Amino acid sequence: MASGHRGRWWIVGSSWVGRDQQSEESSNVKNKRDSESAVGVARNASSKMLALAQKHHMNTDTRKAIFCVLMSSTDYLEAFERLLKLGLKGPQKREICRVLLYCCGVSKRYNPYFALVAKQQCQYDHRTKFTLQLCFWDAFKLFGNDVKTSPSSAQRKLMNYARLLSDMTKDFHLSLGVLKVIDVLSLTPDSIFFLKAFFFDLMETCDEKTLEAVFRRISTTKDCEILLNSISVFFKTQMGSFKDEKLKHSLRVIRMALRDVSIVLNARKSGM
């Protein structure tokens, strides 16, 4: 009579037991999903974490949830998995990059954790790269205009941004094309500080092959001629010479790579 699967159906009401169990299991799964959603995370976070999110102007459930995940995860893999479980779509999903960049910027010192989370996001969804690029462009617009931030805090934020961009660039998740919106002919002190910090970090941390590849990628960038000229001008006017042998060698590698890009672009023009 299949009583083990359907209950004792010959007794009124008994055959519904299995269905009740399935309903209870479905309810438990739904409750778990709800608790892991953006609204659930925002509501279930500790009062201390919510107060911190409020202090940093996380004014929507989505931003609060992302902030809480980033700031409470034990490592970048846990953060990545929890961000996926938030179930964010469209504009809400793009908030991940904005909150991540903000958290990286306000950290007391640069934390590679944020780069690792960003790289996982880029590997999972390539659209993250463009979103992150837009977030950097928004940050560039504030260079020199962030009057609410103290000079020391502003400089720390610029350094954190520079090192994050360096980490994303040398692993080829982003390219030097991110810099094409910065006008080298009208640089602010903040822009100069950021670009120097960015290029110094690349020069100090990249091996020769990677450094060469990073700069040669300019030839594949949209508006590559403008970008090439901008970077060449910046190195001539702002980077100067170095005593450190590692930096000296890196500078030679960069100049050779820029020269090669110039040759490629000239060949393209003559072939038109």
Side-chain angles (χ1 to χ4, degrees):
M1 294 185 181
S3 62
H5 297 287
R6 298 175 54 196
R8 291 178 295 173
W9 53 268
W10 62 91
I11 301 176
V12 177
S14 294
S15 62
W16 296 92
V17 173
R19 196 174 293 180
D20 289 342
Q21 289 175 342
Q22 290 178 354
S23 177
E24 184 179 349
E25 290 172 1
S26 298
S27 178
N28 290 337
V29 170
K30 183 179 183 300
N31 289 338
K32 187 173 186 297
R33 286 176 180 170
D34 288 344
S35 68
E36 293 173 339
S37 69
V39 174
V41 170
R43 290 178 179 174
N44 296 329
S46 67
S47 57
K48 184 177 180 180
M49 185 61 68
L50 288 175
L52 188 62
Q54 192 69 33
K55 178 182 177 182
H56 288 281
H57 313 293
M58 301 294 140
N59 50 12
T60 66
D61 283 338
T62 298
R63 290 175 67 83
K64 286 177 185 175
I66 296 168
F67 180 87
C68 290
V69 167
L70 289 174
M71 302 306 287
S72 64
S73 295
T74 55
D75 59 34
Y76 74 97
L77 290 175
E78 181 188 330
F80 172 68
E81 290 174 2
R82 290 176 65 191
L83 288 171
L84 284 183
K85 290 177 181 178
L86 292 179
L88 304 177
K89 304 292 182 183
Q92 288 184 329
K93 192 172 183 180
R94 292 193 283 273
E95 290 287 350
I96 293 175
C97 289
R98 295 188 180 94
V99 176
L100 185 146
L101 190 62
Y102 173 85
C103 291
C104 179
V106 298
S107 297
K108 291 184 178 179
R109 61 182 60 85
Y110 177 66
N111 190 343
Y113 160 79
F114 294 109
L116 292 171
V117 176
K119 290 172 187 178
Q120 286 293 123
Q121 290 288 331
C122 289
Q123 290 171 356
Y124 179 77
D125 185 353
H126 290 294
R127 291 172 295 183
T128 303
K129 297 180 181 182
F130 183 63
T131 302
L132 191 57
Q133 178 172 288
L134 293 178
C135 291
F136 271 109
W137 286 355
D138 288 340
F140 296 164
K141 293 174 185 176
L142 297 177
F143 285 180
N145 298 317
D146 194 357
V147 295
K148 295 181 180 179
T149 306
S150 66
S152 60
S153 296
Q155 199 168 77
R156 183 177 68 239
K157 181 188 290 186
L158 293 172
M159 179 62 75
N160 289 345
Y161 284 168
R163 293 190 64 184
L164 175 63
L165 182 57
S166 174
D167 274 349
M168 299 304 292
T169 302
K170 63 192 175 191
D171 281 348
F172 305 106
H173 293 292
L174 293 177
S175 73
L176 294 177
V178 175
L179 305 177
K180 66 184 180 181
V181 297
I182 299 179
D183 184 2
V184 296
L185 298 179
S186 56
L187 291 174
T188 65
D190 281 357
S191 299
I192 294 172
F193 180 88
F194 169 81
L195 289 172
K196 281 187 172 182
F198 169 68
F199 286 126
F200 272 130
D201 195 72
L202 281 179
M203 294 167 72
E204 289 176 338
T205 60
C206 287
D207 58 62
E208 180 178 334
K209 186 177 179 180
T210 302
L211 190 62
E212 183 179 10
V214 164
F215 281 84
R216 282 193 171 188
R217 286 183 78 197
I218 292 173
S219 63
T220 65
T221 306
K222 187 179 180 181
D223 301 322
C224 52
E225 189 170 3
I226 295 173
L227 180 62
L228 172 64
N229 292 336
S230 295
I231 292 176
S232 298
V233 168
F234 185 82
F235 268 86
K236 287 179 181 177
T237 59
Q238 301 292 338
M239 297 303 285
S241 58
F242 306 103
K243 294 181 179 179
D244 181 81
E245 290 301 319
K246 164 68 173 170
L247 293 177
K248 279 183 179 180
H249 180 69
S250 294
L251 186 58
R252 285 195 295 269
V253 171
I254 290 171
R255 285 173 174 166
M256 290 176 65
L258 294 176
R259 183 200 62 190
D260 291 343
V261 172
S262 180
I263 291 172
V264 170
L265 296 185
N266 289 332
R268 285 179 189 171
K269 286 181 182 179
S270 58
M272 288 181 174

